């Protein structure tokens, strides 16, 4: 099983693979949110996003890592949150998430080993095969966690994305500089 400590045996270590990441692709429901969807009688939808996940995504982008959202559902709320965070690559209503990932790789001119994907359910497994780094939230089904290279400690929507971003930025050697800049109020 691949897990938080990374792959065992031959090949690059988890840290080496994380250091190569240029594009982070995230599922939305169950990764950026806790997976619950609140519908009102008028057809409106509400989701809850964790502020630390959002700040982590801003830090990733400031560090030169592209961020994209790929979701099987459509939601205006997701567009609003993406806009707040400066995420321009938002693909919703994706029946074929792997096709969306292939388009993102072309757009970003990113090789598979330069892409990390974070998912929470079985529909995300095809993306894991197409990425250099497969990330899962702690509350994903066992079948997903077993196929992930790294699993967060936090569940989806509760800081899991922030953990993933920190892990990647630490592997790239840029985390300590980010902490210093934030502490000094330099952004």
């Amino acid at each position: 099983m691949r897990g938080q400590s990374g792959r065992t045996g031959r090949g690059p270590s988890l840290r080496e693979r994380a250091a190569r990441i240029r594009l982070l692709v995230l599922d939305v429901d169950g990764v950026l949110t806790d997976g619950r969807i609140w519908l009102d009688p008028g057809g409106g939808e509400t989701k809850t996003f964790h502020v630390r996940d959002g700040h982590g995504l801003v830090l990733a982008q400031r560090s030169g890592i592209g961020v994209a959202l790929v979701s099987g559902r459509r939601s205006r709320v997701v567009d609003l949150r993406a806009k707040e965070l400066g995420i321009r690559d938002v693909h919703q209503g994706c029946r074929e998430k792997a096709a969306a990932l292939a388009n993102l790789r072309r757009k970003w001119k990113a090789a598979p080993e330069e892409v990390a994907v974070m998912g929470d359910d079985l529909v995300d497994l095809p993306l894991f095969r197409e990425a250099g780094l497969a990330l899962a939230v702690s509350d994903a089904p066992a079948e997903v966690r077993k196929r992930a290279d790294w699993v967060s400690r936090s569940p989806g929507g509760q800081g899991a994305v922030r953990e993933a971003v920190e892990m990647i930025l630490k592997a790239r050697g840029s985390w300590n500089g980010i902490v210093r800049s934030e502490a000094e109020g330099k952004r």
Side-chain angles (χ1 to χ4, degrees), residues 85-104:
L85 299 175
I87 300 170
R88 292 188 180 104
D89 285 310
V90 180
H91 302 269
Q92 297 193 71
C94 293
R95 296 246 183 253
E96 296 291 328
K97 288 184 175 187
L101 178 58
N103 289 334
L104 285 164

Side-chain angles (χ1 to χ4, degrees), residues 104-173:
L104 285 164
R105 283 190 39 232
R106 276 192 293 281
K107 177 182 177 181
W108 285 86
K109 296 178 176 60
E113 61 271 10
E114 296 173 315
V115 178
V117 171
M118 190 165 200
D120 75 304
D121 212 344
L122 301 174
V123 297
D124 300 315
L125 291 177
L127 299 178
F128 282 16
R129 289 192 306 269
E130 304 297 323
L133 195 59
L135 313 170
V137 296
S138 66
D139 56 336
E143 296 82 2
V144 175
R145 293 190 318 266
K146 286 178 184 176
R147 287 171 175 81
D149 299 309
W150 179 89
V151 177
S152 68
R153 288 182 191 91
S154 299
Q158 297 182 41
V161 171
R162 172 61 174 266
E163 285 180 36
V165 168
E166 285 185 26
M167 182 270 296
I168 291 167
L169 293 174
K170 286 175 182 177
R172 290 169 55 125

